[in-house]
Structures are given as structure tokens and as C-alpha cells.
């Protein structure tokens, strides 16, 4: 038999997940014996994405505490060693100094996720009069790893940084410093000295690029052996260049989960989606039946299907169930997602063979309900046409029809008007669309989002042509057909604008005046590695595109990051902040920017 030659899988050289695992393994393994692990609020989230609690406990960690809680107890644990893994914030530094003075543990091993000042190191040395500090180290783990090719800084809003730098206050400077520290730690952990390009029209991108170049040059001069000048490009982009991607409904598995329910640190709670429909179906269920971990590193089925469209996902689940039922010689008729759920409940072997499959069946059923209740297929067709085609009169008619359709949620209607306003900014019909929304009960603070969006990323704010039909990457229409009666046929045309920029980079056609390079490092050839960072946040649609590019054998390795990973609601919650920055009277609940209910009450 002739054996088929397999194409070797491309090695991903920008894998943050592997470097982070290496950091944590060494920290927990090198400190022998019983130990306590003390984290802060951010490092709890950072660690939870790459290491489970059970994995930590296997490393002889008998106690875990938060640093602020640890500071409030005076219990002596001098039979134990302690590991601190914390961010170098002023608050953490103060709490740690007091902890050293209290001498609660027999030995201290201290790891900061970013650089420290020499002055603070001297303060620690003075406080440690009993020589309890056995190790003090800076590691570069100041970011959240969503998956090997995606990271975020988990900063819900950077809208304050869109002001002129001359208008920044001390809080804005602190926010900028957090972004700088997170991005620099990312690059440092990869041991790269990249060429840095930035969006020339963006003041914040320019400042971030220049400041990063300065700090990296200083770091490189001090420890050249730890870094390499590489054929790696760091591209810093401004979210204002493409707001449309964040307003669209999504049709791939990972994107739908985030848009319709919400993913937080790779965890999802289906009760959020049910709240949006005013349902109480989860009452009586345990947290484990409502809350799920969604991780490509821990879940092979999710890794294989996270970029699948909804129809493909349902078919893949069905194929797996069919395989199991054939082995068991069972006969199960599956024509819907509900039938799949019944099959999983009926046949225990399905759960045994794939513990994760029942989770994905439950999530798929939930997504199907949300799509049907919100009439999202109908809405999405109009959305896609607005962002991909120039047809002003047709789009006016379609939007007004959607506004009059009582089966469409008000939130979806508002987003449609926003997309129309972005495309046809000076159209006099926009005021009439606002009047219709007002008649539907939409409050002025929500209507003001249309103007705030244009202030944030209207034509005057954008460098490129967001709605150009001349993109180098073709906008081929894609129709996804499903064999299931409760899974819609999905219709998408849109591709994120940054693919145009990536295409220019790969064809060596990027313009220096539009994307200048700093003087840190420069090369002319096509980059072998690309790091893309969005100030203002990225999206799972863009994550998908990078994931697909990374699977192509001739594509460079690409790492995508941003200050946040938005869905439409968190993005619009950020746009609301413009009102505060500009001292406009607006009422909105800021207590939880990820809470769909709180943000959106019309």
C-alpha cells in the first residue's frame, strides 16, 4: 500500500502558553517542600488560564491566598515556605513589605510579573532583617493567555487614552503604563527584539511604540545575551480603525459564545445568555451545569471546532454521536440539536468517551435558542450587506424594515443604525432612524451612542478606507448549509480590516508614512513572525482569522493581542465612557462592563 505523505505541521514559534507553563513549572518545582502560594487579583486570572488548581496542588502547594487577604491575618505559618507571584503595583509592594516585617513564613520566594525599581529592591532588603527572602526575581508574565496565539491585558476600557496626550491626567498615565508593561512583558517573554511599526494616524499608538522602543533598547543593552534581534514585526494598531468588526453578529463557535453569552478568562456561564432572554431555565441546576471552561489547550473538541461555523459544529457533534451509537449498535434518530441532547442523556458511553461533548451539546442548544429568539439570521444578513457593499438606498430600506420588525430586539436595531451611520456618516436619514428608535422606547443615553461611536471612529478618525471594495483580500461570499432543522444556514461576507494590512506586509507593500517604524530595529524582507497588538481591544473574529492563517504552511507565525477581547456589548460599554471623558450627561451602569443586562436597558 502506498502511504500518503503528511504535510509536517508548522511549528508555532510565538507560543506564549509554553513559555508561561515553563515559568510556573520552575517556580513551583524549585521551591521544595510544603508551601503557600500568594497571588493578587490579576495573577489569579493569569494563572487560571494556564494552570488548574489541581495541577498547583500536585506541586506541594497546601495553601493559596490573595495578598490583600493574607495581609489581614496574623497567623504564623513558620513551618511553611511561601511563594509570592504578584504584579509590581504600588499596593502590592506595600503589602509585601509589611508581610516581610511580620515574618509569617520560614522562607520567602518572591516573583514579580514585571520589572521593579532599584529603590524598592533596597526597601525589601532593609525590611528583611532576618534574611528570610531566599529568592527575588522578575519574570515576564504580565498578560492573560487566551490560547497559544492570542493574549489580552484584560483592560475593559482604554477610551481615556484616545484623548490628546496633552490632556491626560494621572489616571490616564497609569493606564498607559499598564498597557506598556503588559506589551513589553509579552515581547520580553518571547526573547525577541522586533521591528516595531505603528499606525501613523494614532497618537496613542505612536506614543506606545516609541516608549516601548526606548525601554526595550535599555533592556537589550543591559542583557544582550537574553534577547535576539529577529525577523519579527510588532504591529501596533488602534481599534478606531475598524469598529465595524466589533458590532457584527458572529457565526463561528468561539465568536458566537462570546457575542451571545460572554467568555471571561476562558469560562462561560450560560445563565448570562438566558438572562438576555429573560429566561429562568437554569433554576435548580448546579453551577457546574451552567458554568463551563472553554479552552483549546484543555479541550480537543473545542480546539478542532472553535473556528467552525454553527452548521459545521452541529454536524461534527452528530458525527461523533453516530460513531458511538454504531459501536453500541444503538439506533438514534438525530435531526436537531435537541435530539443530540437527548442522545447524550440516553447513552452514558457518549459521556465516558468524551466528557467534553455533552458540554458542547448544551452550549450549542443554548446558542440555537438565542439565535432563534433574537432573529439573528435575519439581522446578520442586513449587517453583512451594509459593511460589505455600497448600496445606500437599498440599505436605507432594509434598516427601516428592520426597525419596523417587532420580532427584532431593540439592541440589534440600534447596532444596525450604528453600522449604517459608520458607512453613510453624513446621510440625513440617520436622524429619522433615531426618531424611530426613540418611538420604540430607546432612551436618549442609548441613542447618544450613535454620535459617540462617530466621535470615536468616524471617517475623521480613521486612516484607511474601512468600507473600500478594493481590499487586497477578496470578500468572497460564504454560505454555510446545515442539515439540522434548528441550525440556521449562515451567510457571511465580512473580513476584518486588519487582513488588508497583513496582506500589505506579506507582499512588502506596507507604506512607511501610514505605518512608520521606530529606530529600535529595522529589516526590509518579509517577516517570519508578526505580533499584532490592538489598543482598544480585539475580537474573536480577528482571533479566528489569525488562527486560520497560522494553519497555512507558508504563512508567518502570527500572535494577536489587545488590551481586551470585546464583544459588541463590552465595546459599546466602552464607547459610553466617551460621555464621561467629554463631560456629557449620560446615565449608564459601569459596575460590570461585561454584564449584558446592566449595560443594555432601553
Amino acid at each position: 500500500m502506498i502511504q500518503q505523505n503528511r504535510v509536517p505541521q508548522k511549528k508555532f514559534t510565538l507560543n506564549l502558553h509554553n513559555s508561561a507553563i515553563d515559568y510556573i513549572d520552575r517556580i513551583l518545582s524549585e521551591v521544595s517542600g510544603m508551601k503557600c502560594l500568594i497571588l493578587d487579583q490579576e495573577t489569579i486570572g493569569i494563572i487560571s488560564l494556564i494552570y488548574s488548581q489541581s495541577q498547583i496542588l500536585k506541586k506541594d502547594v497546601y495553601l493559596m491566598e490573595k495578598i490583600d487577604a493574607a495581609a489581614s491575618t496574623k497567623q504564623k505559618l513558620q513551618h511553611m515556605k511561601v511563594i509570592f507571584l504578584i504584579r509590581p503595583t504600588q499596593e502590592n509592594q506595600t503589602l509585601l513589605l509589611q508581610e516581610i516585617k511580620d515574618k509569617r513564613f520560614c522562607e520567602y520566594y518572591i516573583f514579580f510579573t514585571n520589572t521593579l525599581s532599584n529603590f524598592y529592591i533596597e526597601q525589601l532588603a532593609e525590611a528583611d532583617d532576618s534574611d528570610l527572602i531566599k529568592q527575588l526575581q522578575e519574570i515576564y508574565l504580565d498578560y492573560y493567555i487566551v490560547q497559544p496565539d492570542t493574549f489580552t491585558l484584560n483592560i475593559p476600557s482604554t477610551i481615556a487614552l484616545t484623548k490628546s496626550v496633552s490632556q491626560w491626567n494621572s489616571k490616564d498615565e497609569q493606564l498607559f503604563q499598564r498597557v506598556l508593561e503588559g506589551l513589553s512583558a509579552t515581547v520580553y517573554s518571547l526573547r525577541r527584539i522586533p521591528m516595531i511599526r505603528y499606525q501613523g494616524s494614532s497618537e496613542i499608538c505612536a506614543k506606545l511604540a516609541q516608549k516601548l522602543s526606548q525601554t526595550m533598547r535599555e533592556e537589550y543593552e543591559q542583557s544582550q545575551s537574553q534577547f535576539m534581534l529577529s525577523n519579527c514585526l510588532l504591529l501596533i494598531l488602534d481599534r478606531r480603525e475598524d469598529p465595524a468588526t466589533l458590532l457584527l453578529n458572529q457565526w463561528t463557535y468561539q465568536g458566537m459564545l462570546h457575542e451571545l453569552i460572554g467568555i471571561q478568562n476562558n469560562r462561560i456561564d450560560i445563565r448570562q445568555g438566558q438572562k438576555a432572554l429573560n429566561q429562568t431555565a437554569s433554576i435548580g441546576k448546579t453551577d457546574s451545569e451552567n458554568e463551563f471552561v472553554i479552552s483549546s489547550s484543555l479541550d480537543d473538541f473545542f480546539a478542532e471546532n472553535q473556528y467552525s461555523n454553527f452548521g459545521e459544529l452541529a454536524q461534527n457533534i452528530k458525527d461523533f454521536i453516530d460513531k458511538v451509537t454504531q459501536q453500541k449498535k444503538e439506533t438514534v434518530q438525530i435531526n436537531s440539536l435537541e435530539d443530540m441532547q437527548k442522545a447524550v442523556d440516553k447513552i452514558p458511553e457518549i459521556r465516558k468517551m468524551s466528557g467534553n461533548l455533552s458540554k458542547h451539546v448544551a452550549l450549542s442548544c443554548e446558542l440555537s435558542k438565542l439565535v432563534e429568539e433574537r432573529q439573528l439570521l435575519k439581522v446578520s444578513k442586513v449587517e453583512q450587506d451594509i459593511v460589505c457593499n455600497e448600496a445606500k438606498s437599498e440599505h436605507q430600506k432594509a434598516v427601516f424594515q428592520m426597525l419596523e420588525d417587532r420580532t427584532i430586539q431593540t439592541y440589534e436595531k440600534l447596532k444596525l443604525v450604528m453600522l449604517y451611520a459608520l458607512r453613510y456618516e453624513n446621510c440625513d436619514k440617520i436622524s429619522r432612524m433615531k426618531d424611530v428608535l426613540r418611538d420604540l422606547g430607546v432612551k436618549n443615553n442609548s441613542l447618544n451612542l450613535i454620535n459617540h461611536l462617530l466621535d470615536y471612529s468616524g471617517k475623521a478618525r480613521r486612516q484607511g478606507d474601512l468600507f473600500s471594495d478594493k481590499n487586497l483580500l477578496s470578500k468572497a461570499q460564504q454560505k454555510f448549509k446545515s442539515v439540522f432543522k434548528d441550525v440556521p444556514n449562515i451567510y457571511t461576507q465580512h473580513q476584518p480590516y486588519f487582513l488588508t494590512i497583513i496582506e500589505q506586509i506579506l507582499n512588502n507593500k506596507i507604506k512607511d508614512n501610514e505605518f512608520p517604524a521606530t529606530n529600535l530595529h529595522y529589516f526590509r524582507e518579509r517577516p517570519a513572525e508578526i505580533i499584532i497588538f490592538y489598543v482598544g481591544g480585539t475580537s474573536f473574529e480577528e482571533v479566528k482569522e489569525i488562527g486560520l492563517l497560522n494553519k497555512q504552511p507558508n504563512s508567518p507565525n502570527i500572535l494577536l493581542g489587545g488590551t481586551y477581547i470585546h464583544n459588541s456589548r463590552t465595546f459599546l460599554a466602552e464607547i459610553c465612557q466617551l460621555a464621561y471623558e467629554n463631560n456629557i450627561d449620560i446615565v449608564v451602569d459601569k459596575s460590570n462592563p461585561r454584564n449584558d443586562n446592566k449595560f443594555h436597558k432601553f
Side-chain angles (χ1 to χ4, degrees):
M1 176 184 288
I2 298 175
Q3 293 186 345
Q4 183 179 358
N5 292 325
R6 292 186 177 182
V7 178
Q9 189 172 4
K10 183 177 68 176
K11 182 180 179 182
F12 187 63
T13 57
L14 297 175
N15 195 320
L16 289 176
H17 187 267
N18 287 351
S19 62
I21 287 289
D22 183 56
Y23 278 140
I24 304 305
D25 278 345
R26 284 191 286 113
I27 289 171
L28 296 179
S29 299
E30 291 177 5
V31 181
S32 61
M34 293 178 60
K35 46 189 171 279
C36 173
L37 177 62
I38 295 183
L39 307 168
D40 62 32
Q41 185 61 44
E42 284 215 61
T43 54
I44 287 173
I46 291 169
I47 297 304
S48 70
L49 286 167
I50 55 177
Y51 233 89
S52 68
Q53 187 171 354
S54 60
Q55 287 175 306
I56 292 175
L57 293 175
K58 289 178 182 177
K59 299 290 186 179
D60 293 329
V61 175
Y62 287 84
L63 179 66
M64 287 187 283
E65 293 183 345
K66 280 182 63 179
I67 186 170
D68 50 354
S72 64
T73 179
K74 300 300 180 182
Q75 180 184 7
K76 298 289 186 179
L77 299 168
Q78 294 181 341
H79 61 292
M80 294 181 69
K81 302 172 184 178
V82 64
I83 298 172
F84 278 81
L85 180 59
I86 54 178
R87 292 202 65 248
T89 64
Q90 186 62 51
E91 179 184 7
N92 285 346
Q93 291 179 26
T94 302
L95 291 172
L96 179 60
L97 279 173
Q98 186 58 50
E99 175 67 41
I100 297 299
K101 293 175 183 177
D102 291 341
K103 304 179 176 65
R104 292 177 59 217
F105 299 91
C106 65
E107 293 180 1
Y108 285 77
Y109 297 82
I110 302 167
F111 300 88
F112 283 95
T113 62
N114 219 312
T115 55
L116 289 169
S117 68
N118 290 331
F119 176 71
Y120 180 70
I121 294 173
E122 292 172 3
Q123 284 184 302
L124 273 178
E126 291 176 7
D128 185 25
D129 53 14
S130 299
D131 196 27
L132 298 179
I133 298 177
K134 303 303 179 184
Q135 187 173 359
L136 174 63
Q137 188 174 341
E138 302 164 340
I139 64 172
Y140 300 116
L141 191 55
D142 214 6
Y143 45 84
Y144 296 71
I145 304 166
V146 179
Q147 55 195 44
D149 59 4
T150 308
F151 71 97
T152 172
L153 303 186
N154 235 8
I155 304 173
S157 178
T158 54
I159 204 81
L161 302 184
T162 61
K163 296 180 297 188
S164 172
V165 173
S166 62
Q167 297 177 347
W168 286 4
N169 56 33
S170 58
K171 287 186 177 180
D172 300 334
E173 292 286 356
Q174 290 173 7
L175 177 59
F176 173 79
Q177 188 64 27
R178 174 66 185 102
V179 176
L180 175 63
E181 289 171 356
L183 183 54
S184 61
T186 303
V187 182
Y188 289 158
S189 67
L190 294 169
R191 307 299 179 187
R192 305 290 198 275
I193 298 295
M195 175 180 176
I196 301 177
R197 286 190 183 271
Y198 59 93
Q199 189 174 310
S201 61
S202 171
E203 187 179 14
I204 175 59
C205 288
K207 181 177 175 65
L208 182 59
Q210 297 297 341
K211 191 67 176 177
L212 182 62
S213 290
Q214 177 186 337
T215 57
M216 291 202 72
R217 183 179 294 106
E218 293 170 357
E219 189 74 14
Y220 180 65
E221 289 173 354
Q222 292 178 10
S223 50
Q224 290 188 17
S225 61
Q226 295 187 29
F227 301 96
M228 63 176 181
L229 290 167
S230 64
N231 195 359
C232 175
L233 171 67
L234 169 60
L235 178 65
I236 302 176
L237 300 175
D238 193 322
R239 183 73 262 170
R240 289 177 290 181
E241 195 68 7
D242 177 15
T245 294
L246 300 187
L247 293 173
L248 296 170
N249 279 293
Q250 300 300 306
W251 294 104
T252 54
Y253 188 29
Q254 187 179 43
M256 290 180 76
L257 287 173
H258 192 41
E259 177 62 25
L260 299 183
I261 303 175
I263 300 174
Q264 177 67 39
N265 287 347
N266 283 357
R267 285 166 171 77
I268 193 166
D269 187 340
I270 61 174
R271 287 169 293 195
Q272 293 301 317
Q274 291 168 345
K275 285 178 183 178
L277 295 179
N278 297 315
Q279 293 181 345
T280 56
S282 294
I283 293 177
K285 289 187 177 182
T286 63
D287 285 347
S288 63
E289 292 176 298
N290 286 308
E291 298 175 1
F292 303 99
V293 175
I294 299 294
S295 170
S296 60
S297 300
L298 302 174
D299 184 340
D300 290 341
F301 185 87
F302 182 70
E304 293 170 4
N305 290 277
Q306 65 187 116
Y307 306 138
S308 298
N309 68 67
F310 200 37
E312 291 171 339
L313 171 69
Q315 183 63 54
N316 291 342
I317 295 174
K318 180 182 183 297
D319 290 345
F320 186 89
I321 294 175
D322 287 344
K323 180 180 177 181
V324 176
T325 55
Q326 287 171 10
Q327 291 175 354
K328 293 294 296 179
K329 298 182 180 179
E330 300 255 5
T331 302
V332 178
Q333 188 69 28
I334 297 178
N335 295 313
S336 67
L337 290 171
E338 186 178 352
D339 291 341
M340 288 187 193
Q341 184 72 70
K342 292 177 181 177
V344 171
D345 294 338
K346 179 181 177 182
I347 306 174
E349 283 76 7
I350 295 178
R351 289 180 181 271
K352 292 178 182 178
M353 291 182 67
S354 176
N356 287 317
L357 189 70
S358 58
K359 167 179 69 179
H360 295 297
V361 172
L363 289 173
S364 298
C365 289
E366 198 63 36
L367 292 177
S368 182
K369 291 177 189 175
L370 292 166
V371 168
E372 177 64 26
E373 289 288 333
R374 299 184 188 183
Q375 293 291 295
L376 295 183
L377 186 62
K378 190 188 302 184
V379 174
S380 187
K381 186 174 182 180
V382 178
E383 287 179 346
Q384 294 286 324
D385 205 54
I386 289 175
V387 296
C388 296
N389 300 298
E390 180 79 29
K392 188 174 181 180
S393 60
E394 292 177 14
H395 292 160
Q396 283 178 16
K397 182 179 179 181
V399 171
F400 279 116
Q401 286 177 343
M402 291 290 105
L403 292 176
E404 294 170 2
D405 190 332
R406 295 185 178 183
T407 66
I408 307 297
Q409 283 195 351
T410 309
Y411 178 64
E412 302 299 335
K413 294 177 180 180
L414 178 62
K415 285 199 301 170
L416 277 173
V417 175
M418 289 179 171
L419 287 168
Y420 182 89
L422 281 171
R423 175 123 208 177
Y424 307 107
E425 195 167 317
N426 299 316
C427 178
D428 57 1
K429 299 295 183 182
I430 296 173
S431 60
R432 174 59 187 148
M433 293 175 184
K434 290 181 183 178
D435 289 340
V436 175
L437 286 170
R438 189 178 289 109
D439 292 341
L440 292 171
V442 178
K443 296 177 181 179
N444 284 334
N445 59 354
S446 294
L447 286 174
N448 288 339
L449 284 172
I450 299 169
N451 292 337
H452 295 325
L453 179 64
L454 295 178
D455 289 341
Y456 173 78
S457 56
K459 289 180 182 177
R461 302 286 188 185
R462 301 195 302 264
Q463 174 175 290
D465 187 354
L466 176 60
F467 298 109
S468 172
D469 295 326
K470 299 177 181 179
N471 287 346
L472 294 172
L473 290 172
S474 63
K475 294 179 177 178
Q477 296 181 7
Q478 301 175 50
K479 295 183 180 179
F480 305 122
K481 295 183 178 180
S482 172
V483 297
F484 303 106
K485 61 187 180 183
D486 54 353
V487 177
N489 293 332
I490 303 156
Y491 176 91
T492 59
Q493 301 177 64
H494 175 259
Q495 290 183 316
Y497 180 73
F498 81 151
L499 289 177
T500 300
I501 302 170
I502 294 174
E503 185 82 0
Q504 292 172 354
I505 292 170
L506 299 184
N507 290 331
N508 207 21
K509 293 183 178 179
I510 195 163
K511 297 178 181 178
D512 287 337
N513 62 328
E514 293 181 356
F515 297 95
T518 67
N519 59 5
L520 175 67
H521 177 42
Y522 190 86
F523 55 84
R524 293 188 178 277
E525 59 269 24
R526 167 176 158 154
E529 301 170 328
I530 303 174
I531 304 170
I532 300 173
F533 184 79
Y534 259 114
V535 180
T538 186
S539 70
F540 276 119
E541 183 175 355
E542 288 154 333
V543 170
K544 175 203 71 175
E545 296 296 347
I546 294 303
L548 295 177
L549 282 173
N550 279 327
K551 291 180 179 180
Q552 296 181 11
N554 296 322
S555 170
N557 288 297
I558 306 177
L559 175 67
L560 177 64
T563 48
Y564 204 60
I565 298 184
H566 279 299
N567 58 24
S568 65
R569 294 177 188 270
T570 60
F571 175 59
L572 292 181
E574 180 168 17
I575 296 300
C576 280
Q577 304 303 311
L578 272 179
Y580 293 96
E581 296 298 327
N582 296 328
N583 296 317
I584 298 172
D585 184 23
I586 184 172
V587 180
V588 64
D589 189 331
K590 294 194 300 178
S591 60
N592 184 355
R594 299 193 65 86
N595 189 319
D596 290 359
N597 277 339
K598 288 182 179 179
F599 165 64
H600 173 115
K601 291 273 188 185
F602 298 109

